[in-house]
Amino acid sequence: MKQRRAGVLFRNAFRFRFNVFALAAAAAWTGGVHAQEVPGASPSDSGAAPTSVLPAVTITSQREIDATTEGSGSYGAQAATIAGKVPQKLQEIPNSVSVVTRQRMDDQNMTTLDDALRYTTGVQAVSYADTAYYSARGYLLGIEFDGVSLMSGVQYEPQLDLAFYDRIEVFRGPAGVMDGTGNPGGTVNMVRKRPLDTFHVSTETQVSSFGGARQMVDVTGPLNKEGTLRGRAVIVGSDEHQSIDRYREKEGGFYGILEYDIDPRTTVALSAAHQVNADTGFDYGVGGMSNGQRLPTSWSQNFGPSWNYQRNTLDETNLNLTHKFENGWSSSTTVLYRRYSFSGTYAYPFGATGSNPYDQTYYAQKQSGTYNWFAMDTNVSGPVHLLGRDHTLTFGATYSQLSETNPFVSQNIGTFNVLDAASIPEPAFSSGSNTNFRFQQGGVYGQAHIKITDPLSVTLGAREIWYQSETQTTGDWKVNSRMNGKFVPYAAIVYNIVPNISAYVSYSSVFAPQTGTSFGGQGLAPASGKQYEAGLKGTFMNGRLNTSVAAFRIDNDHYQLGDPIHTGFYLDAGKVRSQGWEFEVSGEPLTGWNIYAGYTLLNADFESGLTATSLGNGAGLESPRNLFKLYTTYRFQQGMLHGWMVGGGMYAQSATSRLSSLYEQGGYAIFNAQVGYQFNKHVTASLALNNIFNRGYYSRTPGTFYGQFGDLRNVMLTVRTDF
């Protein structure tokens, strides 16, 4: 009873604080944020002629913070929008935030979200046939598109080509105030390219040693004389073979956006994207033997039948309206619709049936389905001048819905030799089953950035969440779970030790509705818990270089864990604790020299629940204890090497496993190198050598099944034009 009463008092105190600032915001809105008298004037002077010259008035203004990375040429971002809906300097955000800039995407030839997150600090990207799943700090990640959160929108889901995006922002740890789903691991925000105010055309042509080609064209600029109407169109297509034998991926996509200034302070933007991916010969891989040994095969071996096929279609529409008020406040409303449809037929090995490990049972599956997301977010943000200092308030509301249908049939098609999988005959499938799912979530949120003293600031935030999940097999919809009002608080303190170095501590509450279901068909309870984080952030060399170091601890209950036996289903893992620390540096410390490096140390353990007894004490087995990522380039500015570029990087991780240490993969490192030349201001070319030492490794560590190989050594030639 005392604990409940304390919680009520905390909630009421929190709401009282927000009510105070809401009143202050209303006053600022109607009267202006800074109401000051004109020097030398008084009310009695209004009707009299001036008797003297007014003293000179000096007006100074600060350049508006912009989080856009296109055209910066740097690996270091100046700001991000993922922590507060509006651009915030990275040094002022009291949490771990990484930004994959447009320049780094280009230099590392990133074309998929998998590529970007694989080289993001603290993120583990695990391949899953033609998709992937992602985690940070031992937990799965959530996703936003231009700040609008979608439930279950990133795990195992294909994404649009990175040619359509300006940057990828990654918030590690729960972001439940600004991101309604509040995944414990963190949130990814994919931010689209916007139209430029000058005419611009760029192209990108790539060919790889695997036997593939890719072409991209990007056109943007004003569409009327006044420049109030701007547009952009990006077209991309590829036909690429992969490191695995017989695996081929085809892609065709388009992204278009129109942006119109209704007046100097109001802008409306409408965008649409369409992309089709068709994959043939894709492979889920093979598992380990019962004694933990690997099958002694080639690292390019394909264990799937020749008729494995899947086709994905992604459609997205985004409408955004922004307005900037005269008193410094701004508003933004975004409506997002996203549709993913797919169909596929495939088979995969599920483990040895006898003494010969090469003879394994194959399961075939035929499925099709659609995912329909609808989401919206509306918010206002701006400054309040109170008690002699400037503070910033943000208020908003959000709603999202996911409707899912996934009819499928799965059957045992017999025992076959995994080394001759291409000859497995395609079966005649029997009738299957289907269950429809619908998830809804809404909420209101607020955040106050309060300036206590010049070096000290406090951030307080909260969200009230409503959630419901339903299923339908036959007949009426059935409500599986419902949450009417869940209070999620957030608090942080930032202290500027010196102008370019700050220290912070933050507390985040975890509440994450989970869309996974158990093998028995039951929905999983929402994840709940808390995170404590403390760190240092620095900005050096006139803002060109960003550094950060952070220590964290997350205690989480009802953690959703992939069922190791039943594919596509989940377990309630009980209570889990993950903790560790991480370091990151990014930017352009010298003209022409870009660098990104990130290191993470992670420990995750089950505290109680099903998995504490069935899987041992080690949680997050697929998340390595040590994870290090590096990429750097240098463009010569003068002398005989002027115009040349050299670069390279590495990815290194410690041992990982699935199910138990029986299926452990030891630590490994992958090294890459690059050389490029700028022929003139319009044309550049680069040659990248990836996996220099041809290291064989698993991109997904095998269990009893599903062990996928990573890419072997390959060369990629890229030619870019810019006009």
Side-chain angles (χ1 to χ4, degrees):
M1 180 65 70
K2 290 182 178 179
Q3 184 177 3
R4 181 180 300 177
R5 185 175 300 166
V8 172
L9 290 174
F10 173 77
R11 183 183 299 188
N12 290 338
F14 210 104
R15 288 172 173 165
F16 174 76
R17 185 180 296 273
F18 268 104
N19 289 336
V20 171
F21 280 105
L23 292 174
W29 198 299
T30 57
V33 181
H34 298 280
Q36 297 179 351
E37 296 181 355
V38 177
S42 67
S44 60
D45 294 332
S46 58
T51 57
S52 61
V53 179
L54 293 176
V57 177
T58 302
I59 300 176
T60 60
S61 63
Q62 187 175 3
R63 184 171 62 90
E64 185 177 352
I65 300 174
D66 188 1
T68 303
T69 68
E70 184 179 19
S72 70
S74 174
Y75 291 1
Q78 298 299 311
T81 58
I82 194 169
K85 301 300 182 182
V86 294
Q88 291 179 271
K89 293 180 179 180
L90 296 183
Q91 187 182 336
E92 297 175 354
I93 300 175
N95 290 90
S96 297
V97 175
S98 298
V99 180
V100 183
T101 65
R102 184 68 254 173
Q103 186 64 49
R104 191 150 72 87
M105 291 187 214
D106 291 342
D107 284 355
Q108 291 189 247
N109 296 312
M110 297 175 177
T111 61
T112 67
L113 181 62
D114 189 2
D115 295 335
L117 295 186
R118 193 173 298 276
Y119 273 87
T120 298
T121 302
V123 176
Q124 177 75 352
V126 181
S127 299
Y128 188 82
D130 62 335
T131 60
Y133 55 97
Y134 312 98
S135 64
R137 300 185 174 180
Y139 304 95
L140 297 178
L141 294 171
I143 196 165
E144 295 178 353
F145 296 94
D146 291 279
V148 179
S149 175
L150 293 187
M151 293 182 289
S152 190
V154 64
Q155 307 299 341
Y156 308 100
E157 306 292 344
Q159 303 297 330
L160 295 172
D161 196 284
L162 291 191
F164 305 158
Y165 294 97
D166 169 75
R167 64 189 183 276
I168 308 297
E169 302 175 344
V170 180
F171 185 108
R172 291 184 294 283
V177 172
M178 292 301 166
D179 174 19
T181 55
N183 293 70
T187 302
V188 178
N189 185 25
M190 303 184 71
V191 184
R192 300 164 301 152
K193 289 178 176 177
R194 303 298 290 259
L196 302 181
D197 55 9
T198 57
F199 182 73
H200 188 85
V201 179
S202 61
T203 69
E204 179 183 88
T205 304
Q206 293 178 327
V207 293
S208 72
S209 58
F210 288 146
R214 167 187 165 87
Q215 182 64 53
M216 185 276 296
V217 179
D218 183 346
V219 183
T220 184
L223 299 178
N224 63 358
K225 182 178 179 181
E226 297 79 13
T228 56
L229 178 63
R230 300 169 296 278
R232 189 164 196 165
V234 183
I235 301 174
V236 63
S238 65
D239 185 353
E240 299 177 314
H241 293 271
Q242 303 300 308
S243 179
I244 305 300
D245 298 336
R246 298 187 284 107
Y247 186 4
R248 185 178 183 182
E249 291 183 334
K250 292 184 178 181
E251 175 191 302
F254 168 81
Y255 164 72
I257 180 172
L258 292 174
E259 197 173 69
Y260 178 64
D261 296 333
I262 300 174
D263 59 49
R265 294 184 176 273
T266 308
T267 300
V268 61
L270 176 64
S271 70
H274 174 75
Q275 182 174 300
V276 177
N277 292 78
D279 304 323
T280 57
F282 69 88
D283 179 28
Y284 281 103
V286 68
M289 293 184 287
S290 59
N291 61 1
Q293 297 298 311
R294 308 288 190 261
L295 294 178
T297 61
S298 165
W299 287 100
S300 62
Q301 179 73 43
N302 190 320
F303 300 99
S306 59
W307 41 268
N308 274 13
Y309 173 80
Q310 181 158 298
R311 177 186 173 91
N312 304 316
T313 302
L314 275 169
D315 293 285
E316 181 182 297
T317 303
N318 185 304
L319 177 64
N320 173 251
L321 177 67
T322 59
H323 180 77
K324 296 181 179 180
F325 298 93
E326 293 183 355
N327 57 6
W329 281 71
S330 63
S331 68
S332 177
T333 299
T334 303
V335 178
L336 174 67
Y337 173 74
R338 186 176 176 90
R339 177 183 174 87
Y340 163 50
S341 60
F342 63 93
S343 61
T345 304
Y346 50 87
Y348 51 88
F350 204 79
T353 58
S355 59
N356 185 352
Y358 297 99
D359 292 334
Q360 298 201 9
T361 299
Y362 270 77
Y363 278 83
Q365 189 161 318
K366 184 174 185 177
Q367 65 179 145
S368 61
T370 58
Y371 290 73
N372 287 281
W373 291 272
F374 172 81
M376 67 173 296
D377 181 277
T378 182
N379 61 81
V380 293
S381 181
V384 170
H385 191 72
L386 187 66
L387 302 178
R389 299 191 180 277
D390 290 328
H391 317 281
T392 303
L393 301 181
T394 299
F395 301 99
T398 184
Y399 171 80
S400 63
Q401 176 179 295
L402 165 62
S403 299
E404 172 188 342
T405 179
N406 186 7
F408 73 95
V409 56
S410 179
Q411 60 192 59
N412 185 331
I413 60 174
T415 300
F416 300 92
N417 189 299
V418 296
L419 301 183
D420 191 27
S423 64
I424 296 175
E426 184 175 357
F429 288 93
S430 58
S431 60
S433 61
N434 179 46
T435 300
N436 299 318
F437 299 88
R438 185 165 60 205
F439 308 92
Q440 298 181 75
Q441 180 177 268
V444 293
Y445 58 87
Q447 184 166 284
H449 182 72
I450 307 164
K451 200 75 171 176
I452 306 298
T453 65
D454 286 341
L456 178 65
S457 61
V458 173
T459 301
L460 299 174
R463 174 184 284 262
E464 194 84 10
I465 297 175
W466 294 265
Y467 172 78
Q468 178 174 290
S469 68
E470 303 169 273
T471 58
Q472 180 193 51
T473 303
T474 57
D476 296 333
W477 286 88
K478 175 185 176 182
V479 175
N480 290 326
S481 62
R482 178 182 291 153
M483 180 71 67
N484 290 322
K486 174 66 177 179
F487 184 72
V488 180
Y490 170 85
I493 299 174
V494 178
Y495 183 79
N496 292 330
I497 302 171
V498 294
N500 63 321
I501 299 177
S502 61
Y504 70 88
V505 293
S506 63
Y507 166 85
S508 304
S509 181
V510 175
F511 177 77
Q514 302 180 126
T515 59
T517 57
S518 68
F519 182 66
Q522 291 80 27
L524 299 185
S528 60
K530 53 186 176 293
Q531 174 188 263
Y532 304 96
E533 180 174 326
L536 293 169
K537 291 189 176 184
T539 302
F540 305 97
M541 301 177 180
N542 295 321
R544 297 197 308 270
L545 186 68
N546 301 319
T547 63
S548 65
V549 59
F552 58 88
R553 170 180 286 182
I554 304 176
D555 289 324
N556 190 59
D557 200 5
H558 300 299
Y559 171 49
Q560 178 176 290
L561 179 73
D563 191 325
I565 305 301
H566 304 104
T567 305
F569 297 97
Y570 297 87
L571 300 173
D572 185 330
K575 293 184 178 180
V576 180
R577 168 173 289 180
S578 68
Q579 56 190 354
W581 67 276
E582 57 194 18
F583 169 80
E584 180 177 287
V585 57
S586 63
E588 189 178 12
L590 298 175
T591 302
W593 177 31
N594 268 303
I595 185 170
Y596 154 79
Y599 170 77
T600 303
L601 174 69
L602 174 67
N603 290 294
D605 293 293
F606 293 115
E607 298 291 309
S608 65
L610 170 68
T611 49
T613 55
S614 63
L615 296 182
N617 291 325
L621 297 175
E622 286 188 277
S623 299
R625 175 180 170 84
N626 298 281
L627 187 59
F628 177 72
K629 305 172 183 183
L630 166 71
Y631 204 82
T632 184
T633 56
Y634 183 74
R635 289 171 167 82
F636 292 91
Q637 303 297 304
Q638 56 188 357
M640 295 180 58
L641 295 178
H642 177 67
W644 285 92
M645 179 269 287
V646 293
M650 68 176 295
Y651 174 102
Q653 68 171 55
S654 56
T656 57
S657 61
R658 283 174 53 212
L659 300 180
S660 71
S661 58
L662 179 66
Y663 299 101
E664 184 175 272
Q665 173 179 225
Y668 66 88
I670 303 299
F671 297 88
N672 307 313
Q674 187 179 37
V675 62
Y677 184 72
Q678 182 172 351
F679 295 94
N680 52 51
K681 65 179 182 178
H682 299 298
V683 182
T684 61
S686 66
L687 190 68
L689 177 61
N690 303 309
N691 196 354
I692 297 173
F693 302 109
N694 205 30
R695 172 63 190 263
Y697 66 99
Y698 287 95
S699 59
R700 188 185 192 202
T701 306
T704 53
F705 59 99
Y706 285 178
Q708 291 188 235
F709 298 141
D711 286 341
L712 296 174
R713 181 168 51 218
N714 63 92
V715 178
M716 178 174 288
L717 173 65
T718 303
V719 178
R720 292 187 175 91
T721 65
D722 189 271
F723 297 93

